[in-house]
Structures are given as C-alpha cells and as structure tokens.
Amino acid sequence: MDFTIPEEITAIGDALIKFIDREVTVLEDANRELLSSERNMFKPDGRYTDELLALKRQVRMRSAELGFYTLFGPQQIGGEGLGALAATTLQEQLNAHCGPERALVQSVVLPSPFTNGLSPVFTSMDPQVFERYRERLASGDKTSCFCLSEPDAGSDVYAIKTVAERDGDDWVITGTKQWITNSPYADYAMVFAITDKELARKRQGGITGFFVDTRTEGFNVPSVIPLMGHLGYDIGIVTLDGVRVRDDHRLGALNKGLSVALNGVNIGRLSLAGTCIGLARWALEQATEYAKTRITFGRPIAEQQAVQFMLADCAVDIYAAKSMTQNCAWRVDQGMSSTKEVAMVKIFGTEMLGRVMDRCMQVHGGMGLTNELRLEAGYRLARLFRIPDGTSEILRRTVASRLLDGDELA
Ligand SMILES: Cc1cc2nc3c(=O)[nH]c(=O)nc-3n(C[C@H](O)[C@H](O)[C@H](O)COP(=O)(O)OP(=O)(O)OC[C@H]3O[C@@H](n4cnc5c(N)ncnc54)[C@H](O)[C@@H]3O)c2cc1C
C-alpha cells in the first residue's frame, strides 16, 4: 500500500498554513484583547459578542475567497469535492500547526461538512431552489445549522418528537431541538421532523428534512448551552413553534430524511479523526521539548525512563491512529463499504487524543494544568469529541453488530 499524500493535497495544506500565518494569526494578534479572555468573547447569556462574530465572518469570507471554505463541498453543488484522505490530512496539518481552540481558526477555515458552507445534505434539495441560497452559503456570508437531536433523542434518533404537518403547499413544524451547533448564529437550518408517525414508530422511515430560514416566524433559539469550563459556546436549544416551510424546501424524498441526514457522515468522522491526530502531535511536540529542558534532581526529566515511556506511549497511539485513519480514508475514497471501519477510527482517534493529552499534561507537571499552555483546552476538547457525531458506545455497537452479522475485519 502506498500512502504517499498526493502533491495536490500537500500543496493545499501548505497554502492553508500560509493563509493562517499571514492573515488569521495577524488578525488574532490585532484583536488580542478580545480573544484572550472569554469574558470578552461571550455575552452574559453565553452568545458570542458581535465583535467576535464579525471577525469570524471576516475570516470565513476570506477563506472562501481563497478557495478553502468549499474544499469539501460536493462538486454537484459547486464545491471542490475533495475526498476523505484530503479531509484527514488537512485537518491533521491544521491542528498540528494551530493547536486547540483558536477562535478564529478552528471552526471557520475548514468547516464541518455538516454545519457550514456547502453541506452534502444540500445535494438532496431541489437544485433550482438551492441555487437561490448557494452563493450566500458558499461565500461564507451566511451560515447554517443541522437540527436533528432533541432533549429526549440523541443516540436514538427515532425518538424525536418534532412533527411536520402538511398544510396546502406548506409544512408546519413544531418541536424542540437541542445541542444544535451554530444555531444561535445560523441564517438557515436543516430541520428533521416526523412526517409519518407510524413509519417512525416502526423505525422504517417517517422522518423528513426541511431547509428553513431561521428568520421564519416561530423559529427561536431561546438559550445557548455553555460546555465544559466555557462561559458560552456555539451550541443552542431551538424551538419551532408552527414554523412554516414550503414543500419545495424539502431535503430529499418524503419520509427518507435519515438517509439525507447521514449524507457525509463518513467524511465528517474521518475529519474529526484527522483533527485528533493533529492535536495529539501538537501536544506531543510540546511535551518532548519540555522534557528536554525541565531539570529535576540535576537532570532533564527526558532522561527519566518514566517520562520517556509517557512520550513513547503517545507516539505509539498517534502512529496507530494515523495508520488506521489513512487506511480508512483510502477505503472511503475507493468507494468501499466502510461503516464499521469509520466507526472504529472515530472511537480510536477521539479516545487516543484523551490519552495523549493526559500524558502530555503529566509530563508538564503543574505547568500542564495552567491555561497558558492550552494543553488543558486540548484535554477538554478530547473529552468533548467522544459524544457528538456518534458516541463511543453507539459506534462500538455499530462495530459489534457488523461483526455479529458476519462482516470481516479489513
Ligand atoms: C458538542 C456537541 C455538538 C453537537 N452538535 C449537534 C448538532 O449540530 N446537531 C445535532 O442534531 N446534534 C448535535 N449534538 C448532539 C449529539 O449528536 C448527541 O449529544 C449524541 O448523539 C448523544 O446523544 P445524547 O446526548 O442524547 O446522549 P444519549 O443518547 O442519551 O446517551 C447517553 C449515554 O448512553 C449511551 N447509550 C445510549 N444508547 C445506548 C445503546 N443503545 N447502547 C449503549 N450505550 C448507549 C450513550 O453512548 C451515552 O453514553 C451535539 C452534541 C455535542 C456534545
């Protein structure tokens, strides 16, 4: 097997890092006061301040101008259509270079294929209707959110209670969505609702997706949910109180919304694995350097076998995660069926990052716990990654059920 990264992907990665260094970092430096404290980044209700939103938009639109923003958008709706290997490679490179939680970098340069830009979900929309929105989304001027989860329905999507009822040419949607990334700021929403209770009860369909303008009467985001040590976040609760949407704004066929919702799930999970590998590399590099310079008992701690083993275990973990991620990305790009393998990669990548961050903090002693080095930010992120986009348990369930059905190991 040859896993040499094609030159075209390497060139995009180099250009991306140049963009970060020459433009995004400069913008961050010029806005240091705003970005250095969450008290400036969030309003008291947990929403981003207008200043921060304006900066994010600026980077997003510049990124679109330079062609990065739509790299993973499907070609049929005007994206570059880059595949899984490109997604994992670029995410790794970006995160190894930037580390965790740089507000202007993380979410806007290579957006999640689900929540921003040219989401693969939009390939299910009537092309003529989507054309009215395409440019606004592709340019980064407008953003969207993906509303599937609810207070009583996360892993178990068939438990959703939001309903859409037909009324002439319209559908009327009522319900509550929870954990919706970017919902406090989104201009458009992909909303999934029950359109046939009987089919949904039998778990045979009955859920349909709709493209909703978030300014529509009845669409509200009453609160955001701050997560793990943050004063706010980009996750919100969405209430839909008789929201009207035209039938031509349906996402795909009636009652087939779950397959529409899963469009792009492989690339999304593999991108996340690439992010984990990049962040783990970033942390190990810091720990290795620190071990060489930190002196205890008259010698650098790098000379202590206990510390060497922590560094070595990180390297083993990263190498394993990278090898399986690249192999899986290659499988996905070849069009091979890879549901089980993608699940394994998401489980291993996110859990690997938790182990690596933990060891790298330990190598740093008390310094590892300070906010200054951002290792703790990486640690929190690693913890968070095990929940969205399929929890570790639900993915293990996928792997096990495939094995029990006779699926072989790759
Ligand atoms: C940061 C973040 C961003 C998110 N963004 C979005 C978004 O943009 N749009 C969206 O629609 N949703 C989003 N979500 C929701 C996310 O998809 C759900 O949180 C996730 O699917 C888990 O659902 P839950 O939280 O309801 O947990 P539950 O489903 O209630 O699970 C609770 C626990 O039980 C375990 N469990 C449940 N069922 C089983 C089972 N059958 N076997 C074994 N273990 C089981 C789970 O693994 C978990 O440990 C986001 C969540 C987070 C944290």
Side-chain angles (χ1 to χ4, degrees), residues 135 178 195 249 276 295 308 327 335 359 407:
E135 188 46 36
Q178 186 162 303
T195 39
H249 281 57
C276 291
I295 309 288
Q308 290 176 1
N327 176 272
R359 291 189 203 108
D407 207 355

Side-chain angles (χ1 to χ4, degrees), residues 115 146-149 153-156 178-181 227 233 235 384 387-391 393-394 397:
T115 49
F146 178 88
C147 306
L148 180 61
S149 303
S155 305
D156 184 5
Q178 186 162 303
W179 310 115
I180 309 305
T181 305
L227 288 189
Y233 216 68
I235 305 232
L384 183 148
I387 306 285
D389 222 353
T391 66
E393 294 72 35
I394 292 299
R397 191 172 171 251

Side-chain angles (χ1 to χ4, degrees), residues 214-230:
T214 59
R215 291 169 305 179
T216 312
E217 204 183 330
F219 188 107
N220 287 300
V221 183
S223 57
V224 302
I225 311 172
L227 288 189
M228 287 194 67
H230 291 288

Side-chain angles (χ1 to χ4, degrees), residues 83-94:
L85 185 63
T88 57
T89 306
L90 295 176
Q91 286 290 10
E92 177 187 333
Q93 199 172 349
L94 179 73

